[in-house]
């Protein structure tokens, strides 16, 4: 027999063994029986029942713990309440003891007092309250101030503003003579009036106020009391004037109504206070005679301590306003218009004011052919 190669023999053997090896049966999963399923279900139900019992036990334990905590807290609160009551009772007892001790001390003090009371030889003198200290400078600083338009003043014949008209020196002379007369006689309140209309009394008052403002240590108050025909505010170009009647009635404080010069280029000083008026007062004479007017004048003197108070009054022969002002003034200036004012008008003006009102002088305004060397007043 011819010998076969080894790999062929192995091949044949492997083929035979593969053919001859018997096949193993494939195992199928076992299907549980009904009995086994019922047993599993019973086991799960028992487990769930146990779980529920454990949960109930935990809830019961928690409820008992909560009740115990509430009981302890209630007991603690009751104890604290009892302690507070005890403390309050102790304080009340102490208060009663203190009151009793105080009453006993008062009884002993009364028993120790002498039977006859002591009598002073004279009653102690009452010390007067010190008067409030008024600072005039504070009042001057508190008033409102308005701008001065030098050209406007010059256009309205306020010759003391720019001082270009040589006649301004006449107002400086009038200022100096007037201040000397006030100092010598102890006067302060000066009325400026005229016999009739259009004599220039307001023009005189405005020029005199600016001239006085340049006098060192001179404090001037100028009030527009021509309440039937006010015009001082028009000369100075002030529109926010208010009503001077309200100030005289006491409805407005003087420091709230009066106005002063703002810093300017014409060297007009800051110690001039002007009381403008923009509302016609039909009962001017009645208001000037009212006690409130005198009280306001005194208040101005206390607060501002003016050196001079100028009152621009209406014409003396037109109504009784100047006569009503007679108790409030110390001296009088009469402004006459050259060529129109008659000597009898000036005499009648003096007569109406009475002999008790000193006449500082008669100022001749609108005089023709008067040079600087003449003094038409």
């Amino acid at each position: 027999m011819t010998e076969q190669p080894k790999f062929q023999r192995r091949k044949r053997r492997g083929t035979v063994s593969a053919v001859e090896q018997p096949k193993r049966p494939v195992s199928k999963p076992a299907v549980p029986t009904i009995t086994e399923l019922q047993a599993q279900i019973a086991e799960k139900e028992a487990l769930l029942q146990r779980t529920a019992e454990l949960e109930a036990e935990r809830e019961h334990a928690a409820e008992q713990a909560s009740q115990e905590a509430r009981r302890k807290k209630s007991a603690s609160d009751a104890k604290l309440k009892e302690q507070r009551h005890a403390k309050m009772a102790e304080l009340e007892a102490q208060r009663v003891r203190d009151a009793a001790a105080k009453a006993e001390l008062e009884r002993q003090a009364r028993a120790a007092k002498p039977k006859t009371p002591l009598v002073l030889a004279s009653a102690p003198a009452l010390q007067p309250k010190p008067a409030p200290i008024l600072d005039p400078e504070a009042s001057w600083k508190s008033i409102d101030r308005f701008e001065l338009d030098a050209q406007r003043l010059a256009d309205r014949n306020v010759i003391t503003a720019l001082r270009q008209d040589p006649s301004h020196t006449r107002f400086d002379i009038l200022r100096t003579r007037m201040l000397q007369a006030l100092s010598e006689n102890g006067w302060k309140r000066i009325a400026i009036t005229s016999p009739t209309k259009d004599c220039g009394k307001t023009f005189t008052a405005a020029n005199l106020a600016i001239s006085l403002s340049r006098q060192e240590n001179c404090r001037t108050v100028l009030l527009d009391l021509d309440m039937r025909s006010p015009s001082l505010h028009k000369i100075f170009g002030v529109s926010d004037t208010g009503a001077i009647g309200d100030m005289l009635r006491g409805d407005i404080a003087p420091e709230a109504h009066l106005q002063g010069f703002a810093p300017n280029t014409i060297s007009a000083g800051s110690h001039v206070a002007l009381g403008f008026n923009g509302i016609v007062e039909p009962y001017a004479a009645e208001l000037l005679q009212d006690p409130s007017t005198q009280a306001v004048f005194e208040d101005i003197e206390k607060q501002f301590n003016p050196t001079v108070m100028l009152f621009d009054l209406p014409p003396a022969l037109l109504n009784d306003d100047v006569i009503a002002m007679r108790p409030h003034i110390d001296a009088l200036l009469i402004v006459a218009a050259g060529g129109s004012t008659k000597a009898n008008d000036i005499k009648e003006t003096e007569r109406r004011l009475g002999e008790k009102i000193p006449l500082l002088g008669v100022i001749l305004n609108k005089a023709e052919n008067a040079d600087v060397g003449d003094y038409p007043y």
Side-chain angles (χ1 to χ4, degrees), residues 224-283:
D224 186 357
L225 296 183
D226 189 353
M227 292 182 281
R228 301 177 193 266
S229 181
S231 60
L232 186 64
H233 63 286
K234 298 176 182 178
I235 293 178
F236 287 96
V238 176
S239 57
D240 184 14
T241 61
I244 199 169
D246 292 341
M247 184 186 75
L248 297 180
R249 293 184 184 91
D251 297 334
I252 300 176
E255 62 271 20
H257 179 78
L258 299 178
Q259 300 185 48
F261 300 152
N264 53 79
T265 59
I266 62 173
S267 301
S270 60
H271 286 75
V272 173
L274 296 98
F276 297 116
N277 182 36
I279 299 178
V280 174
E281 181 66 46
Y283 300 101

Side-chain angles (χ1 to χ4, degrees), residues 300-314:
I300 292 174
E301 291 179 345
K302 290 178 182 178
Q303 290 194 53
F304 293 87
N305 191 24
T307 307
V308 55
M309 293 179 67
L310 300 177
F311 302 131
D312 180 15
L313 297 177

Side-chain angles (χ1 to χ4, degrees), residues 57-323:
E57 291 178 357
R58 283 196 297 271
E59 293 179 354
H60 181 68
E63 178 65 22
Q64 288 183 341
S66 176
Q67 292 179 355
E68 181 66 17
R70 287 196 297 269
R71 186 187 63 78
K72 290 181 178 180
K73 185 176 183 302
S74 177
S76 177
D77 292 343
K79 185 176 181 180
L80 290 175
K81 187 176 181 180
E82 183 180 354
Q83 291 176 351
R84 284 197 298 269
H85 283 313
K87 184 66 175 178
M88 291 176 64
E90 182 180 352
L91 292 174
E92 180 65 19
Q94 182 63 37
R95 187 186 67 81
V96 172
R97 290 193 296 269
D98 292 342
K102 182 179 179 181
E104 178 63 21
L105 290 175
E106 291 177 353
R107 187 189 65 77
Q108 293 177 1
R110 287 194 299 269
K113 286 183 179 180
K115 298 294 183 180
T116 304
L118 296 176
V119 179
L120 296 177
S122 60
L126 296 177
Q127 296 295 330
K129 294 183 179 179
I133 299 175
L134 296 177
D135 183 8
E137 285 302 316
S139 299
W140 283 102
K141 292 178 182 179
S142 68
I143 63 175
D144 293 335
R145 300 191 174 272
F146 61 92
E147 298 292 334
L148 281 177
D149 187 341
Q151 190 57 51
R152 177 190 178 90
L153 293 174
D155 294 340
R156 283 158 178 77
N157 296 323
V158 183
I159 58 177
T160 54
L162 294 178
R163 308 183 77 176
Q164 295 175 348
D165 190 327
S167 299
H168 79 271
T169 58
R170 298 172 181 174
F171 284 101
D172 293 341
I173 295 172
L174 174 61
R175 171 201 64 193
T176 302
R177 289 182 175 178
M178 184 181 70
L179 290 177
Q180 289 174 352
L182 297 184
S183 177
E184 291 170 0
N185 295 279
W187 297 335
K188 183 171 292 187
R189 303 177 183 180
I190 307 300
I192 302 176
T193 186
S194 60
T196 57
K197 294 176 59 177
D198 301 326
C199 292
K201 61 180 183 57
T202 302
F203 151 81
T204 300
N207 277 283
L208 191 55
I210 291 182
S211 180
L212 286 166
S213 74
R214 298 192 177 107
Q215 183 71 38
E216 188 177 3
N217 299 326
C218 180
R219 296 178 294 274
T220 304
V221 174
L222 170 57
L223 303 181
D224 186 357
L225 296 183
D226 189 353
M227 292 182 281
R228 301 177 193 266
S229 181
S231 60
L232 186 64
H233 63 286
K234 298 176 182 178
I235 293 178
F236 287 96
V238 176
S239 57
D240 184 14
T241 61
I244 199 169
D246 292 341
M247 184 186 75
L248 297 180
R249 293 184 184 91
D251 297 334
I252 300 176
E255 62 271 20
H257 179 78
L258 299 178
Q259 300 185 48
F261 300 152
N264 53 79
T265 59
I266 62 173
S267 301
S270 60
H271 286 75
V272 173
L274 296 98
F276 297 116
N277 182 36
I279 299 178
V280 174
E281 181 66 46
Y283 300 101
E286 291 81 357
L287 178 58
L288 293 175
Q289 296 178 84
D290 193 279
S292 65
T293 296
Q294 176 64 21
V296 170
F297 291 160
E298 292 176 355
D299 190 18
I300 292 174
E301 291 179 345
K302 290 178 182 178
Q303 290 194 53
F304 293 87
N305 191 24
T307 307
V308 55
M309 293 179 67
L310 300 177
F311 302 131
D312 180 15
L313 297 177
L317 302 183
L318 293 185
N319 48 57
D320 61 337
D321 293 3
V322 176
I323 300 176

